[in-house]
Amino acid sequence: MAPSANIPAQPKDATGCCVLADGTVIWGTGFGYAGSAVGEVCFNTSMTGYQEVMTDPSYAAQIVTFTFPHIGNVGANGEDIESVVEGAVGCIVREDVTVPSNFRSLENFTTWMERQGKIGLSGVDTRALTRRIRMSGAPNAVIAYAPDGKFDLPTLIVRAQEWAGLEGMDLAKRVTREAQQSWEGGFWQLGHGYGGGAGEGAPHVVAIDYGAKDNIFRNLVRAGAKVTVVPAKTDVEAIMALKPDGVFLSNGPGDPAATGEYAVPVIKALLDADMPLFGICLGHQMLALAAGATTVKMHQGHRGANHPVQRVGDDWGDTSGLVEITSMNHGFAVDGDTLPDTLEQTHVSLFDGSNCGIAVKGKRAFGVQYHPEASPGPQDSFYLFEKFVGGLT
């Protein structure tokens, strides 16, 4: 596609740009790591937790547009990191990153971004970009930062156009742990840091890591579990050899149908063995696939810490109909119209009615589309960890 119609003249002080696959070029000020990266542009509506967002493996191969204008103003530290593996490749923000003002800050966000190999672009009208995503869907793009302001735009445009996109892409194999790990460390508290692990006799949860946020494991420990984390492609025999009381299916990036090619047979075998299961986000989607439902690519996705979800169905007693404010990060969803009779819908989004929770009838297996561990986000949904771990004793 000829780019000339969509390329505004480069401002003389522009050191960064975001080049969309249709040839549109968005200019701004680059920060963080000098270079370029390709990904899908999405938006996140959270007002806090930018470090957690940028280190969430579910954002692999994505460029995050923050709708909150002041990103980086509280600096960065070593505690607010969700994973040391690949997360978002870059971010787009409204205001320039300022000198941090927070007693927990250990370094400037710009410096942290550079060390993490992540590219930032500031000075962008993020409201306009968010509206574009809402109207036209999440575009493929290249984000670039060059301190000298020199860019090979035709090459960047071709790179954005030739990138295959997230649909059909298995990214879990890129972000999973390479080896089994006994998880240690519980919930974080101000002034105390992360707590210790579970005591002797705690129920044993084997967590399959498709790109997990560490705060999930901390909340499993907080709920009373001993946790062993295994790589995404661990087979069912190796999982059962660990003698779990329950198995957790983690969040992660990419297309659930692609990851499901090796994950779904394992989940089906666990269901056949009547193993208690709990899935979050990608794990929820693959639990649904294993039970016979299908998943779909969403128009814009759900990403933020203010998403209302309602409990539905008969399992909640007096709390049926209760609304939780949740944290979300997903660009794929379970197609609620394809749920087989073996699945019950337990939660729905009040934004668009999409499926946000399932339970397998006759089994101790359930999943939710949102993130009950938050980080960042509200704490309304911790009960799900207690529901899962409490049912293992």
Side-chain angles (χ1 to χ4, degrees), residues 54-392:
M54 295 301 294
T55 56
D56 180 351
S58 291
Y59 279 107
Q62 291 178 80
I63 301 163
V64 181
T65 303
F66 286 102
T67 61
F68 186 69
H70 302 290
I71 299 299
N73 56 335
V74 296
N77 63 72
E79 291 181 321
D80 294 348
I81 293 175
E82 283 301 323
S83 177
V84 296
V85 302
E86 177 184 355
V89 299
C91 67
I92 301 172
V93 302
R94 176 66 187 93
E95 300 294 337
D96 291 339
V97 177
T98 60
V99 175
S101 178
N102 187 277
F103 72 99
R104 295 182 64 228
S105 175
L106 296 178
E107 64 182 324
N108 189 288
F109 182 56
T110 296
T111 305
W112 181 85
M113 287 277 287
E114 182 178 11
R115 287 198 304 103
Q116 296 289 322
K118 300 178 186 297
I119 302 167
L121 180 65
S122 66
V124 174
D125 185 346
T126 51
R127 293 180 299 176
L129 181 54
T130 298
R131 286 196 297 268
R132 177 184 178 126
I133 295 170
R134 292 184 64 185
M135 293 172 59
S136 304
N140 296 342
V142 173
I143 187 171
Y145 168 34
D148 62 4
K150 296 179 180 179
F151 300 94
D152 183 350
L153 292 180
T155 298
L156 295 180
I157 292 171
V158 170
R159 185 179 174 192
Q161 291 173 339
E162 292 183 346
W163 189 62
L166 295 179
E167 197 161 7
M169 186 176 291
D170 172 27
L171 290 173
K173 62 186 179 184
R174 271 174 37 183
V175 299
T176 185
R177 283 166 172 76
E178 296 181 356
Q180 178 180 314
Q181 175 188 3
S182 294
W183 181 260
E184 297 181 3
F187 196 66
W188 184 89
Q189 288 183 300
L190 181 63
H192 299 278
Y194 293 110
E200 292 295 325
H204 183 204
V205 172
V206 171
I208 306 178
D209 176 17
Y210 302 115
K213 293 172 63 181
D214 287 351
N215 208 46
I216 289 175
F217 306 140
R218 298 175 191 128
N219 275 275
L220 287 169
V221 171
R222 182 187 181 192
K226 170 188 174 183
V227 179
T228 301
V229 187
V230 298
K233 289 190 175 183
T234 305
D235 60 38
V236 68
E237 291 79 14
I239 292 171
M240 297 302 285
L242 294 171
K243 302 186 184 306
D245 296 302
V247 173
F248 173 77
L249 312 173
S250 87
N251 66 292
D255 189 336
T259 303
E261 291 186 9
Y262 55 83
V264 163
V266 173
I267 297 170
K268 284 183 176 180
L270 292 170
L271 284 171
D272 290 341
D274 288 327
M275 178 63 64
L277 301 175
F278 175 27
I280 287 176
C281 203
L282 180 64
H284 157 78
Q285 295 160 2
M286 291 192 297
L287 176 62
L289 290 172
T294 61
T295 56
V296 294
K297 180 77 163 64
M298 303 178 75
H299 177 70
Q300 66 188 42
H302 289 166
R303 297 174 181 90
N306 58 347
H307 288 255
V309 167
Q310 187 171 34
R311 300 179 192 175
V312 296
D314 300 326
D315 290 345
W316 305 110
D318 292 340
T319 66
S320 182
L322 185 145
V323 175
E324 305 165 31
I325 304 302
T326 71
S327 179
M328 287 192 180
N329 170 22
H330 59 100
F332 292 81
V334 174
D335 185 346
D337 293 333
T338 69
L339 298 183
D341 292 339
T342 55
L343 286 180
E344 177 187 9
Q345 180 164 258
T346 61
H347 300 76
V348 295
S349 167
L350 293 184
F351 276 160
D352 60 10
S354 60
N355 174 266
C356 284
I358 58 170
V360 182
K361 297 178 181 178
K363 304 281 186 180
R364 290 182 294 167
F366 64 97
V368 291
Q369 183 61 75
Y370 54 95
H371 286 263
E373 83 290 349
S375 189
Q379 306 294 312
D380 295 22
S381 308
F382 175 72
Y383 72 94
L384 290 165
F385 292 101
E386 296 176 324
K387 173 182 172 69
F388 176 56
V389 176
L392 303 180

